[in-house]
Amino acid sequence: MNKLKVVLLLACLLTAFAVNVQAQNNKRGWQLELKKASLDLSSTDVKNAEEYKDFPNAKLTSDSQTLVKGHLHLSGDYFARNFVWGNEVLLDYGKTTLKPVDGEKTTNETSDSILFTSSYTHRLWQAENALGGFEAGPFGSLSYQTEFNSQGDSPLKKVLRAAVGVKIFEGKYIKNFHVAGFAEDDFTYDPSSENYGWEALLRIEHPIRDGVKGVYSGMFRNYLYRSREEETDIDYEASLDARLDVAVMKEISIAPFIQYYTAQARAFGKRGQNLQIGISFGFSHTFIKAKEVNE
């Protein structure tokens, strides 16, 4: 449990830094947003590849394939004087259809995740100038993670997770940075297991010019203890996402992106990895915006 103690100590140091820059919060009420509804598309159509199989030209000999991925991020946050109650729904689903030159068409899932999260963050401190300004405070969250379809012979993923830690949020650049310890009930298998560990999450937005911004996010989750071992358990998982968000209209954007995911299994030494590069067509909209008040 030494790693978890180190992370909790880091969380205390972050809040201690924020206490020196106390200021008044001024956002109040509900804010309901469609943060992102996006569609990632990629298609390669190759004709007469069999006839060109001996040619040293991959564009003529490759397999036809189509990749489609959808992403939906909804949020409903309530800002009070001393706290923020946050609620999020994150949906990801992607499929790749492959048409080999000399085989049958196959389809496999490249992304499949459903995540519901509700959190409470205490608005203790606000930095006016540091790192472009931000708010900070302790938080607790409860989330449920599952998927649309089970993978192969594996059962459907079902995980209930509770986390407690410290968060930096609502900044000009730092939109969310938290470090937390977590406990989860994994109902994927019967009987279920209780798991404990720590996690860190970061999301940064960097305005480049009017209508163009860089968006960077990362996640690391480390498991320290499990009450029951399964062959599909992992020691840790991590993801990185970088994209250049270009507004083509007020609420419509195009974003070239690169995504990387990795995980280390407990049962063997080889680390799994997934890398995606592509272009995303997105739409966002604010239904209700929190009010700015002066107190």
Side-chain angles (χ1 to χ4, degrees):
M1 301 296 289
N2 289 335
K3 291 183 179 179
L4 183 56
K5 290 179 180 178
V6 170
V7 173
L8 293 177
L9 177 60
L10 177 60
C12 293
L13 291 175
L14 287 171
T15 54
F17 168 76
V19 75
N20 294 319
V21 284
Q22 185 173 358
Q24 183 64 57
N25 314 311
N26 60 1
K27 188 178 281 191
R28 299 287 186 275
W30 279 101
Q31 183 152 313
L32 303 180
E33 293 182 84
L34 171 60
K35 287 185 174 291
K36 181 74 71 173
S38 64
L39 186 65
D40 307 342
L41 298 172
S42 175
S43 179
T44 302
D45 187 18
V46 183
K47 303 292 186 183
N48 303 316
E50 180 66 26
E51 285 76 5
Y52 285 88
K53 64 181 180 180
D54 296 325
F55 282 60
N57 188 333
K59 292 182 178 180
L60 298 176
T61 61
S62 64
D63 298 329
S64 297
Q65 56 183 310
T66 302
L67 184 149
V68 179
K69 179 182 176 182
H71 172 82
L72 182 68
H73 183 184
L74 292 166
S75 72
D77 301 327
Y78 180 76
F79 293 85
R81 177 185 176 88
N82 297 319
F83 68 89
V84 179
W85 176 33
N87 300 277
E88 285 189 322
V89 178
L90 278 167
L91 307 178
D92 270 307
Y93 190 75
K95 271 191 175 183
T96 297
T97 300
L98 185 65
K99 299 177 182 177
V101 174
D102 53 357
E104 295 183 359
K105 181 176 73 172
T106 60
T107 299
N108 63 81
E109 293 179 353
T110 56
S111 180
D112 188 348
S113 178
I114 303 172
L115 180 65
F116 303 96
T117 302
S118 184
S119 64
Y120 173 92
T121 304
H122 203 64
R123 305 175 79 176
L124 286 185
W125 306 287
Q126 184 180 46
E128 292 283 351
N129 301 313
L131 302 175
F134 58 84
E135 290 190 51
F139 84 98
S141 68
L142 186 66
S143 61
Y144 178 71
Q145 185 175 3
T146 184
E147 53 190 354
F148 291 96
N149 300 302
S150 59
Q151 306 302 309
D153 297 328
S154 300
L156 193 72
K157 184 173 184 176
K158 293 175 288 184
V159 177
L160 182 65
R161 181 181 300 115
V164 177
V166 65
K167 179 186 292 188
I168 292 175
F169 62 103
E170 288 294 313
K172 179 180 179 180
Y173 303 112
I174 303 176
K175 299 304 178 181
N176 187 9
F177 171 54
H178 81 235
V179 180
F182 69 83
E184 63 180 33
D185 279 331
D186 190 338
F187 300 99
T188 304
Y189 296 93
D190 188 17
S192 62
S193 66
E194 295 180 0
N195 312 320
Y196 301 89
W198 67 274
E199 65 180 20
L201 182 144
L202 174 66
R203 178 181 171 84
I204 295 174
E205 294 186 5
H206 176 224
I208 298 173
R209 59 180 175 82
D210 188 31
V212 181
K213 63 182 177 181
V215 181
Y216 315 97
S217 61
M219 180 274 294
F220 181 81
R221 181 174 292 128
N222 187 27
Y223 289 86
L224 303 177
Y225 171 79
R226 296 177 186 271
S227 64
R228 187 173 180 272
E229 301 289 339
E230 294 285 350
E231 291 185 358
T232 54
D233 288 342
I234 59 174
D235 275 332
Y236 66 83
E237 60 180 339
S239 65
L240 294 171
D241 184 298
R243 60 187 62 220
L244 187 65
D245 206 321
V246 181
V248 293
M249 292 178 65
K250 185 178 180 180
E251 298 177 323
I252 299 175
S253 63
I254 297 177
F257 69 87
I258 179 168
Q259 294 177 333
Y260 176 74
Y261 174 82
T262 184
Q264 175 62 60
R266 295 179 68 90
F268 51 88
K270 292 184 178 179
R271 182 162 51 90
Q273 300 180 71
N274 182 304
L275 179 67
Q276 293 185 16
I277 299 173
I279 235 179
S280 177
F281 302 89
F283 173 77
S284 60
H285 180 71
T286 300
F287 302 102
I288 300 175
K289 189 172 183 179
K291 297 178 181 179
E292 299 288 335
V293 298
N294 295 315
E295 296 183 355

